[in-house]
mmCIF file of all heavy atoms in Angstrom:
data_model
loop_
_atom_site.group_PDB
_atom_site.id
_atom_site.type_symbol
_atom_site.label_atom_id
_atom_site.label_comp_id
_atom_site.label_asym_id
_atom_site.label_seq_id
_atom_site.Cartn_x
_atom_site.Cartn_y
_atom_site.Cartn_z
ATOM 1 N N ILE A 13 3.121 11.311 13.850
ATOM 2 C CA ILE A 13 2.114 11.010 12.823
ATOM 3 C C ILE A 13 2.534 9.797 11.990
ATOM 4 O O ILE A 13 1.728 8.905 11.692
ATOM 5 C CB ILE A 13 1.894 12.242 11.926
ATOM 6 C CG1 ILE A 13 1.235 13.363 12.739
ATOM 7 C CG2 ILE A 13 1.040 11.889 10.715
ATOM 8 C CD1 ILE A 13 1.083 14.661 11.977
ATOM 9 N N SER A 14 3.824 9.744 11.615
ATOM 10 C CA SER A 14 4.300 8.591 10.839
ATOM 11 C C SER A 14 4.229 7.304 11.661
ATOM 12 O O SER A 14 3.939 6.231 11.127
ATOM 13 C CB SER A 14 5.736 8.850 10.372
ATOM 14 O OG SER A 14 6.607 8.966 11.478
ATOM 15 N N PHE A 15 4.465 7.404 12.961
ATOM 16 C CA PHE A 15 4.364 6.217 13.821
ATOM 17 C C PHE A 15 2.924 5.708 13.888
ATOM 18 O O PHE A 15 2.677 4.489 13.846
ATOM 19 C CB PHE A 15 4.884 6.559 15.215
ATOM 20 C CG PHE A 15 4.796 5.433 16.203
ATOM 21 C CD1 PHE A 15 5.603 4.309 16.072
ATOM 22 C CD2 PHE A 15 3.897 5.481 17.253
ATOM 23 C CE1 PHE A 15 5.518 3.261 16.983
ATOM 24 C CE2 PHE A 15 3.806 4.445 18.167
ATOM 25 C CZ PHE A 15 4.621 3.334 18.029
ATOM 26 N N LEU A 16 1.969 6.640 13.995
ATOM 27 C CA LEU A 16 0.558 6.229 13.997
ATOM 28 C C LEU A 16 0.177 5.585 12.672
ATOM 29 O O LEU A 16 -0.578 4.594 12.636
ATOM 30 C CB LEU A 16 -0.329 7.437 14.279
ATOM 31 C CG LEU A 16 -0.300 8.022 15.699
ATOM 32 C CD1 LEU A 16 -1.243 9.211 15.799
ATOM 33 C CD2 LEU A 16 -0.674 6.975 16.733
ATOM 34 N N MET A 17 0.669 6.150 11.555
ATOM 35 C CA MET A 17 0.392 5.552 10.247
ATOM 36 C C MET A 17 0.969 4.143 10.157
ATOM 37 O O MET A 17 0.336 3.220 9.630
ATOM 38 C CB MET A 17 0.982 6.437 9.139
ATOM 39 C CG MET A 17 0.292 7.789 8.999
ATOM 40 S SD MET A 17 1.212 8.934 7.939
ATOM 41 C CE MET A 17 1.244 8.015 6.406
ATOM 42 N N TRP A 18 2.179 3.940 10.681
ATOM 43 C CA TRP A 18 2.817 2.618 10.642
ATOM 44 C C TRP A 18 2.046 1.615 11.489
ATOM 45 O O TRP A 18 1.832 0.473 11.073
ATOM 46 C CB TRP A 18 4.259 2.746 11.120
ATOM 47 C CG TRP A 18 4.997 1.447 11.158
ATOM 48 C CD1 TRP A 18 5.486 0.739 10.111
ATOM 49 C CD2 TRP A 18 5.323 0.698 12.337
ATOM 50 N NE1 TRP A 18 6.099 -0.406 10.536
ATOM 51 C CE2 TRP A 18 6.016 -0.456 11.915
ATOM 52 C CE3 TRP A 18 5.118 0.890 13.697
ATOM 53 C CZ2 TRP A 18 6.493 -1.406 12.806
ATOM 54 C CZ3 TRP A 18 5.595 -0.056 14.578
ATOM 55 C CH2 TRP A 18 6.263 -1.186 14.136
ATOM 56 N N LEU A 19 1.606 2.042 12.689
ATOM 57 C CA LEU A 19 0.823 1.142 13.531
ATOM 58 C C LEU A 19 -0.486 0.751 12.850
ATOM 59 O O LEU A 19 -0.920 -0.403 12.920
ATOM 60 C CB LEU A 19 0.526 1.813 14.872
ATOM 61 C CG LEU A 19 1.668 1.893 15.888
ATOM 62 C CD1 LEU A 19 1.194 2.593 17.154
ATOM 63 C CD2 LEU A 19 2.198 0.504 16.232
ATOM 64 N N THR A 20 -1.119 1.697 12.186
ATOM 65 C CA THR A 20 -2.368 1.393 11.487
ATOM 66 C C THR A 20 -2.142 0.413 10.339
ATOM 67 O O THR A 20 -2.960 -0.481 10.089
ATOM 68 C CB THR A 20 -2.991 2.686 10.954
ATOM 69 O OG1 THR A 20 -3.142 3.619 12.037
ATOM 70 C CG2 THR A 20 -4.350 2.418 10.332
ATOM 71 N N SER A 21 -1.011 0.558 9.641
ATOM 72 C CA SER A 21 -0.738 -0.302 8.486
ATOM 73 C C SER A 21 -0.384 -1.734 8.883
ATOM 74 O O SER A 21 -0.412 -2.633 8.035
ATOM 75 C CB SER A 21 0.401 0.283 7.650
ATOM 76 O OG SER A 21 1.623 0.244 8.369
ATOM 77 N N LEU A 22 -0.027 -1.987 10.140
ATOM 78 C CA LEU A 22 0.336 -3.338 10.568
ATOM 79 C C LEU A 22 -0.845 -4.304 10.491
ATOM 80 O O LEU A 22 -0.652 -5.521 10.565
ATOM 81 C CB LEU A 22 0.886 -3.306 12.000
ATOM 82 C CG LEU A 22 2.255 -2.634 12.171
ATOM 83 C CD1 LEU A 22 2.678 -2.678 13.624
ATOM 84 C CD2 LEU A 22 3.306 -3.307 11.292
ATOM 85 N N TRP A 23 -2.054 -3.774 10.347
ATOM 86 C CA TRP A 23 -3.211 -4.654 10.203
ATOM 87 C C TRP A 23 -3.099 -5.520 8.946
ATOM 88 O O TRP A 23 -3.617 -6.631 8.910
ATOM 89 C CB TRP A 23 -4.465 -3.792 10.140
ATOM 90 C CG TRP A 23 -5.729 -4.578 10.036
ATOM 91 C CD1 TRP A 23 -6.436 -4.848 8.909
ATOM 92 C CD2 TRP A 23 -6.425 -5.211 11.100
ATOM 93 N NE1 TRP A 23 -7.536 -5.601 9.191
ATOM 94 C CE2 TRP A 23 -7.557 -5.843 10.545
ATOM 95 C CE3 TRP A 23 -6.205 -5.309 12.480
ATOM 96 C CZ2 TRP A 23 -8.462 -6.554 11.315
ATOM 97 C CZ3 TRP A 23 -7.110 -6.008 13.246
ATOM 98 C CH2 TRP A 23 -8.219 -6.628 12.668
ATOM 99 N N GLY A 24 -2.396 -4.999 7.953
ATOM 100 C CA GLY A 24 -2.211 -5.779 6.733
ATOM 101 C C GLY A 24 -0.884 -6.496 6.656
ATOM 102 O O GLY A 24 -0.538 -7.016 5.587
ATOM 103 N N GLY A 25 -0.120 -6.530 7.744
ATOM 104 C CA GLY A 25 1.175 -7.195 7.753
ATOM 105 C C GLY A 25 2.297 -6.263 7.322
ATOM 106 O O GLY A 25 2.132 -5.036 7.254
ATOM 107 N N PHE A 26 3.458 -6.843 7.035
ATOM 108 C CA PHE A 26 4.633 -6.089 6.608
ATOM 109 C C PHE A 26 4.759 -6.204 5.096
ATOM 110 O O PHE A 26 4.775 -7.298 4.556
ATOM 111 C CB PHE A 26 5.894 -6.620 7.283
ATOM 112 C CG PHE A 26 5.925 -6.363 8.757
ATOM 113 C CD1 PHE A 26 5.468 -7.316 9.657
ATOM 114 C CD2 PHE A 26 6.399 -5.157 9.255
ATOM 115 C CE1 PHE A 26 5.481 -7.079 11.015
ATOM 116 C CE2 PHE A 26 6.414 -4.916 10.615
ATOM 117 C CZ PHE A 26 5.956 -5.885 11.498
ATOM 118 N N GLY A 27 4.879 -5.065 4.432
ATOM 119 C CA GLY A 27 5.030 -5.064 2.985
ATOM 120 C C GLY A 27 4.768 -3.694 2.410
ATOM 121 O O GLY A 27 3.760 -3.517 1.715
ATOM 122 N N PRO A 28 5.609 -2.696 2.689
ATOM 123 C CA PRO A 28 5.371 -1.352 2.159
ATOM 124 C C PRO A 28 5.490 -1.337 0.646
ATOM 125 O O PRO A 28 6.349 -1.986 0.060
ATOM 126 C CB PRO A 28 6.464 -0.510 2.822
ATOM 127 C CG PRO A 28 7.535 -1.483 3.184
ATOM 128 C CD PRO A 28 6.855 -2.755 3.500
ATOM 129 N N SER A 29 4.612 -0.537 0.030
ATOM 130 C CA SER A 29 4.618 -0.440 -1.427
ATOM 131 C C SER A 29 5.543 0.682 -1.887
ATOM 132 O O SER A 29 5.856 1.612 -1.138
ATOM 133 C CB SER A 29 3.200 -0.175 -1.938
ATOM 134 O OG SER A 29 2.746 1.103 -1.514
ATOM 135 N N LEU A 30 5.977 0.581 -3.151
ATOM 136 C CA LEU A 30 6.879 1.589 -3.704
ATOM 137 C C LEU A 30 6.196 2.942 -3.815
ATOM 138 O O LEU A 30 6.812 3.980 -3.515
ATOM 139 C CB LEU A 30 7.358 1.129 -5.086
ATOM 140 C CG LEU A 30 8.250 2.118 -5.852
ATOM 141 C CD1 LEU A 30 9.526 2.407 -5.078
ATOM 142 C CD2 LEU A 30 8.557 1.587 -7.247
ATOM 143 N N TRP A 31 4.936 2.950 -4.232
ATOM 144 C CA TRP A 31 4.231 4.212 -4.356
ATOM 145 C C TRP A 31 4.037 4.879 -2.997
ATOM 146 O O TRP A 31 4.060 6.115 -2.896
ATOM 147 C CB TRP A 31 2.876 3.994 -5.030
ATOM 148 C CG TRP A 31 2.985 3.637 -6.468
ATOM 149 C CD1 TRP A 31 2.744 2.420 -7.038
ATOM 150 C CD2 TRP A 31 3.391 4.504 -7.531
ATOM 151 N NE1 TRP A 31 2.957 2.466 -8.386
ATOM 152 C CE2 TRP A 31 3.357 3.745 -8.731
ATOM 153 C CE3 TRP A 31 3.780 5.839 -7.611
ATOM 154 C CZ2 TRP A 31 3.697 4.276 -9.964
ATOM 155 C CZ3 TRP A 31 4.112 6.377 -8.843
ATOM 156 C CH2 TRP A 31 4.073 5.605 -9.998
ATOM 157 N N GLY A 32 3.864 4.091 -1.968
ATOM 158 C CA GLY A 32 3.782 4.657 -0.629
ATOM 159 C C GLY A 32 5.087 5.296 -0.205
ATOM 160 O O GLY A 32 5.109 6.391 0.389
ATOM 161 N N TRP A 33 6.209 4.609 -0.509
ATOM 162 C CA TRP A 33 7.528 5.187 -0.208
ATOM 163 C C TRP A 33 7.674 6.543 -0.891
ATOM 164 O O TRP A 33 8.083 7.535 -0.273
ATOM 165 C CB TRP A 33 8.625 4.242 -0.680
ATOM 166 C CG TRP A 33 9.044 3.215 0.328
ATOM 167 C CD1 TRP A 33 8.548 1.975 0.482
ATOM 168 C CD2 TRP A 33 10.060 3.368 1.328
ATOM 169 N NE1 TRP A 33 9.174 1.307 1.500
ATOM 170 C CE2 TRP A 33 10.117 2.151 2.041
ATOM 171 C CE3 TRP A 33 10.911 4.396 1.682
ATOM 172 C CZ2 TRP A 33 10.996 1.944 3.096
ATOM 173 C CZ3 TRP A 33 11.800 4.195 2.727
ATOM 174 C CH2 TRP A 33 11.830 2.987 3.434
ATOM 175 N N LEU A 34 7.365 6.594 -2.184
ATOM 176 C CA LEU A 34 7.539 7.834 -2.936
ATOM 177 C C LEU A 34 6.630 8.944 -2.399
ATOM 178 O O LEU A 34 7.045 10.111 -2.296
ATOM 179 C CB LEU A 34 7.245 7.582 -4.417
ATOM 180 C CG LEU A 34 8.211 6.620 -5.134
ATOM 181 C CD1 LEU A 34 7.751 6.389 -6.570
ATOM 182 C CD2 LEU A 34 9.632 7.163 -5.108
ATOM 183 N N ALA A 35 5.387 8.588 -2.070
ATOM 184 C CA ALA A 35 4.473 9.588 -1.518
ATOM 185 C C ALA A 35 4.975 10.135 -0.190
ATOM 186 O O ALA A 35 4.889 11.343 0.075
ATOM 187 C CB ALA A 35 3.076 8.988 -1.354
ATOM 188 N N GLY A 36 5.515 9.275 0.667
ATOM 189 C CA GLY A 36 6.041 9.740 1.941
ATOM 190 C C GLY A 36 7.276 10.612 1.783
ATOM 191 O O GLY A 36 7.478 11.570 2.545
ATOM 192 N N LEU A 37 8.117 10.298 0.770
ATOM 193 C CA LEU A 37 9.335 11.084 0.574
ATOM 194 C C LEU A 37 9.042 12.508 0.083
ATOM 195 O O LEU A 37 9.790 13.440 0.409
ATOM 196 C CB LEU A 37 10.254 10.371 -0.421
ATOM 197 C CG LEU A 37 10.896 9.058 0.074
ATOM 198 C CD1 LEU A 37 11.665 8.392 -1.048
ATOM 199 C CD2 LEU A 37 11.811 9.324 1.270
ATOM 200 N N VAL A 38 7.973 12.671 -0.711
ATOM 201 C CA VAL A 38 7.673 14.007 -1.250
ATOM 202 C C VAL A 38 6.545 14.700 -0.484
ATOM 203 O O VAL A 38 6.134 15.800 -0.864
ATOM 204 C CB VAL A 38 7.290 13.909 -2.745
ATOM 205 C CG1 VAL A 38 8.405 13.294 -3.542
ATOM 206 C CG2 VAL A 38 5.988 13.126 -2.926
ATOM 207 N N ALA A 39 6.051 14.079 0.594
ATOM 208 C CA ALA A 39 4.884 14.641 1.293
ATOM 209 C C ALA A 39 5.188 16.019 1.858
ATOM 210 O O ALA A 39 4.415 16.965 1.686
ATOM 211 C CB ALA A 39 4.443 13.691 2.404
ATOM 212 N N ILE A 40 6.326 16.175 2.542
ATOM 213 C CA ILE A 40 6.657 17.469 3.161
ATOM 214 C C ILE A 40 6.919 18.524 2.100
ATOM 215 O O ILE A 40 6.492 19.685 2.224
ATOM 216 C CB ILE A 40 7.860 17.308 4.100
ATOM 217 C CG1 ILE A 40 7.501 16.347 5.239
ATOM 218 C CG2 ILE A 40 8.287 18.648 4.665
ATOM 219 C CD1 ILE A 40 8.652 16.064 6.182
ATOM 220 N N ALA A 41 7.630 18.148 1.028
ATOM 221 C CA ALA A 41 7.925 19.109 -0.039
ATOM 222 C C ALA A 41 6.661 19.609 -0.721
ATOM 223 O O ALA A 41 6.611 20.745 -1.199
ATOM 224 C CB ALA A 41 8.868 18.471 -1.061
ATOM 225 N N VAL A 42 5.621 18.785 -0.783
ATOM 226 C CA VAL A 42 4.358 19.206 -1.394
ATOM 227 C C VAL A 42 3.492 19.962 -0.384
ATOM 228 O O VAL A 42 2.799 20.929 -0.732
ATOM 229 C CB VAL A 42 3.608 17.979 -1.943
ATOM 230 C CG1 VAL A 42 2.214 18.363 -2.428
ATOM 231 C CG2 VAL A 42 4.401 17.332 -3.070
ATOM 232 N N GLU A 43 3.559 19.555 0.875
ATOM 233 C CA GLU A 43 2.679 20.140 1.875
ATOM 234 C C GLU A 43 3.092 21.559 2.255
ATOM 235 O O GLU A 43 2.230 22.414 2.518
ATOM 236 C CB GLU A 43 2.674 19.235 3.120
ATOM 237 C CG GLU A 43 1.690 19.658 4.201
ATOM 238 C CD GLU A 43 2.280 20.649 5.192
ATOM 239 O OE1 GLU A 43 3.537 20.724 5.275
ATOM 240 O OE2 GLU A 43 1.505 21.350 5.862
#
């Protein structure tokens, strides 16, 4: 799932945001 999300995000180039990092780090703990 994370690989599919990364492939989809490549449409906008390389540049992950800080809020995205934080959301991904706590996603499993919240889910």
